[in-house]
Amino acid sequence: MRVPVTSAGAVFEPAPPAPKAAAGTERNSATGLLADIQAWGGWDGLAPLLINAALTNQTTYEEFERDPFAGGRARLIVALAAIAAAFGAMNGGLTSVMAHLPFFVLGWGAFVYTVYAVGTGAFPGHRDERTFRRLSLGLALATAPALLLVLGVVPTFGPLFVLGAYVWILLTTTAAIGLPLELNRDLSLIVATVGCLALFTVSQVVPLVLF
């Protein structure tokens, strides 16, 4: 408030209103990020998608290629699987946990490239400019059973749960690669076996040997 003094005496004038904050600055950045994550459409139907993928539902893999949120969902599934692998290794200490997280991601990369190389090189799998992307999306969805790797923390039976999760991934991988590579079930099983061996070796064996 200003109080100018004139010949007539003091005159009280209200102070001008403070300028409003620019749009977007009123919202805390962390809160905004959380709101964006919550508003992401990929959460809708995610649980049924994972269940159907784990049950090797062929229609689920076929429709996933046309899912507008397929890319984000694929990255989320692999990230959650890596976290599950890390938590499942807690019995080995903090070093084991920290090792399993990046090695699962590396193993998944080796898994995808191995399946692609063997499926299109050693076997007459279909190959064009879209094959690798379609295969990557399908293999990400096939990684759904890897969420069970968190059960590796269970005393005594943990390793059996881990082995069972990888056998389950073998089955889902067989279902996932048939469509993009156009291989029959027998060839798909062979290619899936080689790919899953690469995944298991890098994500589980290497961390145990090194750490």
Side-chain angles (χ1 to χ4, degrees), residues 117-141:
V118 175
T120 61
F123 295 97
H126 177 74
R127 181 175 183 174
D128 61 21
E129 64 277 2
R130 296 179 59 245
T131 299
F132 187 79
R133 181 181 183 279
R134 294 175 63 202
L135 182 64
S136 299
L137 291 176
L139 292 179
L141 190 56

Side-chain angles (χ1 to χ4, degrees), residues 56 58 171 174-178 183-191:
T56 66
Q58 196 65 50
L171 299 178
T174 303
I177 65 178
L183 295 174
N184 61 42
R185 187 166 184 81
D186 290 339
L187 293 181
S188 294
L189 178 60
I190 296 173
V191 175

Side-chain angles (χ1 to χ4, degrees), residues 99-100 103-104 106-107 197-211:
H100 276 78
F103 273 98
F104 184 90
L106 292 174
L197 284 175
L199 173 62
F200 181 79
T201 300
V202 179
S203 63
Q204 293 293 325
V205 177
V206 172
L208 290 176
V209 171
L210 295 181
F211 302 96

Side-chain angles (χ1 to χ4, degrees), residues 94-198:
L94 182 59
T95 302
S96 180
V97 172
M98 298 302 293
H100 276 78
L101 185 63
F103 273 98
F104 184 90
V105 177
L106 292 174
W108 191 83
F111 169 54
V112 175
Y113 279 99
T114 299
V115 169
Y116 179 76
V118 175
T120 61
F123 295 97
H126 177 74
R127 181 175 183 174
D128 61 21
E129 64 277 2
R130 296 179 59 245
T131 299
F132 187 79
R133 181 181 183 279
R134 294 175 63 202
L135 182 64
S136 299
L137 291 176
L139 292 179
L141 190 56
T143 311
L147 299 178
L148 296 177
L149 291 174
V150 70
L151 297 178
V153 75
V154 176
T156 307
F157 298 103
L160 293 179
F161 287 127
V162 170
L163 182 60
Y166 279 93
V167 172
W168 199 341
I169 294 173
L170 171 62
L171 299 178
T172 55
T173 300
T174 303
I177 65 178
L179 182 64
L181 295 182
E182 298 181 1
L183 295 174
N184 61 42
R185 187 166 184 81
D186 290 339
L187 293 181
S188 294
L189 178 60
I190 296 173
V191 175
T193 300
V194 178
C196 287
L197 284 175

Side-chain angles (χ1 to χ4, degrees), residues 3-46:
V3 189
V5 179
T6 67
S7 58
V11 179
F12 293 88
E13 297 179 359
K20 293 183 178 180
T25 59
E26 298 177 354
R27 183 177 61 175
N28 182 277
S29 58
T31 303
L33 177 61
L34 180 60
D36 291 340
I37 293 174
Q38 292 176 337
W40 179 53
W43 297 114
D44 295 337
L46 181 61

